[in-house]
Amino acid sequence: MSRIAIPAAEQIPAASQPLLAAVQQQLGMVPNLMKLLARSPAALEGYLSLNGALGKGKLSAGLRERIALAVAEFNGCDYCLSAHSYLAKHVAKLGDDEIAAARDFSSADARQAAALRFALNVAEQRGRVADAELATLRGAGFDEAETLEIVAVVALNILTNYINNAAATAMDFPLVQARA
């Protein structure tokens, strides 16, 4: 049971309703995270705006999903692991092996693996990455814009991990549990 209640439709603030309608149109459903965030139109709009902006960035949907999986595993967020496992498979079209590897900050693709190792460093070091870590990422072919987007994707996923962990958001995806 959620520790912060997911509002019933009639409890959703008017300012959140068009945002949820857009989510419904895009995804064909409104995940419980969005319903929860709808309690605060500012929080919902902030999340959707950053997520939407990053979707227009240079990073592929596959890499963004890999990072989301890795960060969710790092933070022990079962809700996010479940949601992003579903999205990785059905939207980004990643195979089960790549989904499992991403949870370990790894990939069969060397470039993706470099981005995931950098994402781990960002999460572990709370953004205080060493010059060598930046150089390694650049050596894997990532430019400065992509580097900033990786940091932003890590931060966005930390946000949702913390919200879901704090709220104990009710699961509405097939359950995937953090390893430890």
Side-chain angles (χ1 to χ4, degrees):
M1 179 168 201
S2 293
R3 294 191 298 196
I4 299 174
I6 295 169
E10 64 275 4
Q11 297 172 316
I12 294 172
S16 291
Q17 291 175 8
L19 300 171
L20 291 182
V23 169
Q24 173 70 39
Q25 183 175 1
Q26 183 180 18
L27 298 179
M29 66 170 291
V30 179
N32 283 342
L33 168 63
M34 308 303 170
K35 293 174 188 173
L36 179 68
L37 285 172
R39 287 197 168 277
S40 167
L44 178 60
E45 183 179 1
Y47 166 76
L48 291 173
S49 294
L50 181 54
N51 190 53
L54 291 170
K56 297 174 192 170
K58 296 181 80 172
L59 300 182
S60 70
L63 180 52
R64 291 191 316 275
E65 287 304 325
R66 284 176 174 93
I67 293 169
L69 286 162
V71 173
E73 185 70 46
F74 179 79
N75 286 314
C77 182
D78 292 348
Y79 185 91
C80 291
L81 274 172
S82 301
H84 289 290
S85 292
Y86 181 87
L87 293 170
K89 186 171 202 155
H90 298 285
V91 176
K93 305 297 185 197
L94 298 181
D96 291 338
D97 290 347
E98 275 299 303
I99 291 169
R103 292 177 63 185
D104 291 325
F105 289 87
S106 185
S107 173
D109 178 276
R111 188 169 191 271
Q112 302 288 301
L116 288 166
R117 283 190 303 275
F118 181 76
L120 174 61
N121 287 319
V122 170
E124 285 181 332
Q125 304 304 318
R126 296 180 178 97
R128 295 181 185 95
V129 295
D131 291 344
E133 293 161 353
L134 282 167
T136 299
L137 188 65
R138 287 188 185 116
F142 287 91
D143 65 25
E144 290 179 348
E146 291 166 315
T147 300
L148 291 169
E149 288 180 26
I150 291 169
V151 174
V153 170
V154 170
L156 176 67
N157 283 281
I158 288 171
L159 169 70
T160 58
N161 294 172
Y162 285 11
I163 288 168
N164 286 310
N165 284 342
T169 307
M171 192 62 62
D172 54 349
F173 291 95
L175 179 62
V176 176
Q177 292 182 303
R179 294 187 186 117

